[in-house]
Amino acid sequence: QVQLVESGGGLVQPGGSLRLSCAASGSIASIYVMAWYRQAPGKQRELVATITSTGSTNYADSVKGRFTISRDNNKNTVSLQMNSLKPEDTAVYYCYASGLGISWGQGTQVTVSS
């Protein structure tokens, strides 16, 4: 089993930036895909970005050009750099890992507001 712990959420003004990090521990050798999802109040959880163990990335259309996902396989971390943040980016952001099984982090709140 893989354990995931997120950090880096907070309150930021529109147009600002935040960087989320997720540290993985446990059966990390089994991880193939890591990703960030988000869930806004009253909405379904949605995929934000994914990255494979070989570095291939994919983004939701709503964040393309603004968010960047990266992965450090040596440190077992995945990060999400979020720029040009908008109020509609407000959500709880969850780290996700899949390999032999699926693991979720506990979530970190991101609030974009003036």
Side-chain angles (χ1 to χ4, degrees), residues 6-22 36-41 46 48 63 66-67 79-95 106-114:
E6 303 104 332
S7 61
L11 173 65
V12 64
Q13 293 187 341
S17 298
L18 276 177
R19 185 176 181 88
L20 305 182
S21 293
C22 174
W36 289 94
Y37 283 75
R38 67 186 181 187
Q39 188 167 18
E46 64 175 359
V48 176
V63 306
R66 300 188 299 122
F67 290 11
S79 298
L80 186 69
Q81 178 66 41
M82 305 185 293
N83 299 327
S84 303
L85 283 161
K86 305 175 181 180
E88 51 264 42
D89 295 318
T90 295
V92 177
Y93 284 69
Y94 296 91
C95 183
Q106 81 285 357
T108 185
Q109 177 70 46
V110 171
T111 303
V112 185
S113 175
S114 56

Side-chain angles (χ1 to χ4, degrees), residues 30-109:
S30 69
I31 297 174
Y32 177 63
V33 174
M34 297 192 77
W36 289 94
Y37 283 75
R38 67 186 181 187
Q39 188 167 18
K43 295 187 176 182
Q44 290 188 331
R45 191 171 297 189
E46 64 175 359
L47 178 65
V48 176
T50 64
I51 186 166
T52 69
S53 59
T54 57
S56 296
T57 59
N58 189 43
Y59 296 92
D61 287 343
S62 59
V63 306
K64 281 182 181 177
R66 300 188 299 122
F67 290 11
T68 302
I69 189 170
S70 60
R71 181 170 176 172
D72 187 331
N73 289 329
N74 291 325
K75 295 182 179 180
N76 305 316
T77 59
V78 62
S79 298
L80 186 69
Q81 178 66 41
M82 305 185 293
N83 299 327
S84 303
L85 283 161
K86 305 175 181 180
E88 51 264 42
D89 295 318
T90 295
V92 177
Y93 284 69
Y94 296 91
C95 183
Y96 164 99
S98 71
L100 295 178
I102 293 174
S103 299
W104 292 93
Q106 81 285 357
T108 185
Q109 177 70 46

